[in-house]
Amino acid sequence: MASFFTDLAPNVIFNSDPTAVIDFMKSHKLLADSCNCTCCTKPMELVARPTTSDGFGWRCTNQRCQKRHTYRTIRTGSFFEKSKVTLNKWLYAIYLWSQESKVNTVVKQVDIGEKTVIQMYQYLRDVCSTKLLNTPIELGGPGVVVQIDESLFNHKSKYNRGRRPKKELWVFGLADTSFKPAITYMELVEKRDAATLLPIIEKAVKPGTIIYSDQWKAYCNIQTELKLQHATVNHSVNFVDPETGVHTQAIELYWAKAKYKFKVMKGVSSDLLPNYLDERMWRDRWGSSKDNTFTNILAHISEQYPV
Ligand SMILES: [Zn+2]
């Protein structure tokens, strides 16, 4: 893929000519490469429409067609269909999202209103959620250690002493330690009891997995009910069990990383938290470098919005 910054960014930012961006989007199957007239079914032609924000549109050139004077937008069926933001700005915003830029950075650098950027970021997180739903993860496997833990995501900060969170947001997480860094699955849970957590473990790990956890009571039947090996560390005594070496540091390190971002965003509402967790998991699986984060989000958009 052409390097975004060297080949395309100058066009995106400074040039009002949208041709380069349209070509780029066509080559990544984000916009249709061709299009047939809905009336006469003959191929339409891509023609300049300087009065529109896209600068181009599809037109039927069949002289005998009743609809030969009507245009069709180049966004039909695409991820961008319902948006009023120019394609140049969209592409640049997607790029900044892939680099984990904050909403405010996009507002300033791309010159889009804050509410619109928040909405655009939400659309991108929806793409992440759909991708995860379509490709469920299976952690562990024979002899592989998966660490599990629950974590409170809206614990009161030291600056808000005495103000208890309206509703506690507990996230249950599983980290496969055979990957470095560990690959993790997270889910917002209503309760932290065995009836809630054990089915999640069963869903997320392969048979033969070894589970490491602390001594939370919900975990005590993992071995009998799920037929998985299970070892614990008593956190009130040690962080690493001195005899067995059992610890849950990978998942705890992961909590710190995941929560740092939410803290920067000054907290996330309970409605949106699952979506943000999805974004985190998506980045862990498909965003191992800045380049492939951008390439993969474009690929997943085009998968979900076939043109
Ligand atoms: Zn036609």
Side-chain angles (χ1 to χ4, degrees):
M1 188 182 72
S3 161
F4 183 78
F5 258 126
T6 53
D7 296 353
L8 206 53
N11 276 309
V12 172
I13 309 162
F14 303 114
N15 195 341
S16 58
D17 174 13
T19 315
V21 169
I22 290 174
D23 286 345
F24 180 89
M25 287 188 163
K26 277 179 168 181
S27 72
H28 285 80
K29 296 188 164 50
L30 299 166
L31 292 175
D33 207 18
S34 63
C35 158
N36 292 333
C37 175
T38 51
C39 181
C40 71
T41 73
K42 293 227 154 52
M44 298 176 94
E45 220 170 88
L46 191 65
V47 295
R49 296 192 72 195
T51 52
T52 65
S53 68
D54 291 339
F56 288 87
W58 294 105
R59 195 176 69 169
C60 180
T61 51
N62 176 6
Q63 290 304 316
R64 289 188 210 152
C65 180
Q66 292 177 337
K67 295 238 169 130
R68 68 183 178 279
H69 294 305
T70 53
Y71 288 92
R72 195 194 307 178
T73 151
I74 57 173
R75 301 191 187 206
T76 303
S78 78
F79 177 67
F80 315 101
E81 186 169 6
K82 290 180 182 132
S83 171
K84 290 193 168 69
V85 174
T86 68
L87 296 173
N88 290 38
K89 287 185 176 184
W90 251 116
L91 192 59
Y92 195 35
I94 294 171
Y95 180 76
L96 290 174
W97 177 88
S98 76
Q99 311 303 296
E100 295 207 59
S101 299
K102 292 181 200 160
V103 165
N104 248 336
T105 309
V106 183
V107 170
K108 283 181 201 141
Q109 288 196 27
V110 194
D111 188 26
I112 310 175
E114 189 185 15
K115 274 189 182 166
T116 306
V117 177
I118 290 169
Q119 185 66 61
M120 291 162 83
Y121 267 32
Q122 184 57 42
Y123 289 146
L124 292 169
R125 274 193 300 275
D126 288 343
V127 171
C128 296
S129 296
T130 303
K131 182 66 188 178
L132 287 163
L133 217 60
N134 293 340
T135 39
I137 198 160
E138 278 203 295
L139 300 173
V144 175
V145 171
V146 169
Q147 298 177 4
I148 64 173
D149 192 24
E150 340 86 54
S151 187
L152 184 60
F153 265 58
N154 59 345
H155 63 92
K156 49 182 179 173
S157 77
K158 57 183 175 180
Y159 305 109
N160 278 326
R161 239 178 262 268
R163 234 181 71 191
R164 291 200 61 82
K166 286 187 202 91
K167 187 186 171 210
E168 290 188 331
L169 298 176
W170 283 95
V171 176
F172 180 51
L174 306 94
D176 183 327
T177 58
S178 65
F179 296 92
K180 299 277 179 279
I183 289 190
T184 305
Y185 175 77
M186 292 181 285
E187 194 170 316
L188 181 66
V189 289
E190 285 288 322
K191 288 182 180 170
R192 292 188 296 145
D193 56 6
T196 307
L197 303 184
L198 265 47
I200 299 175
I201 299 171
E202 195 170 27
K203 176 181 75 179
V205 309
K206 293 178 195 157
T209 301
I210 302 165
I211 304 288
Y212 280 9
S213 73
D214 61 18
Q215 294 183 330
W216 176 240
K217 60 181 186 297
Y219 300 144
C220 68
N221 287 329
I222 285 177
Q223 207 145 349
T224 52
E225 282 190 31
L226 302 181
K227 313 282 180 252
L228 295 170
Q229 271 192 67
H230 180 213
T232 62
V233 52
N234 183 351
H235 276 168
S236 57
V237 183
N238 288 300
F239 284 100
V240 179
D241 189 292
E243 281 179 20
T244 59
V246 170
H247 66 80
T248 55
Q249 282 164 341
I251 186 73
E252 282 156 40
L253 208 73
Y254 190 82
W255 291 139
K257 192 175 95 180
K259 283 177 177 177
Y260 174 75
K261 182 148 187 211
F262 296 137
K263 203 173 272 177
V264 169
M265 299 183 326
K266 299 193 180 75
V268 176
S269 73
S270 57
D271 302 349
L272 289 176
L273 182 58
N275 218 220
Y276 280 95
L277 297 177
D278 282 353
E279 178 187 348
R280 186 71 262 151
M281 286 188 277
W282 184 93
R283 287 185 188 276
D284 292 341
R285 283 172 74 182
W286 291 287
S288 60
S289 77
K290 290 193 167 184
D291 268 355
N292 74 27
T293 312
F294 184 54
T295 315
N296 285 333
I297 193 66
L298 296 181
H300 297 172
I301 291 170
S302 83
E303 261 171 42
Q304 292 173 32
Y305 294 84
V307 286

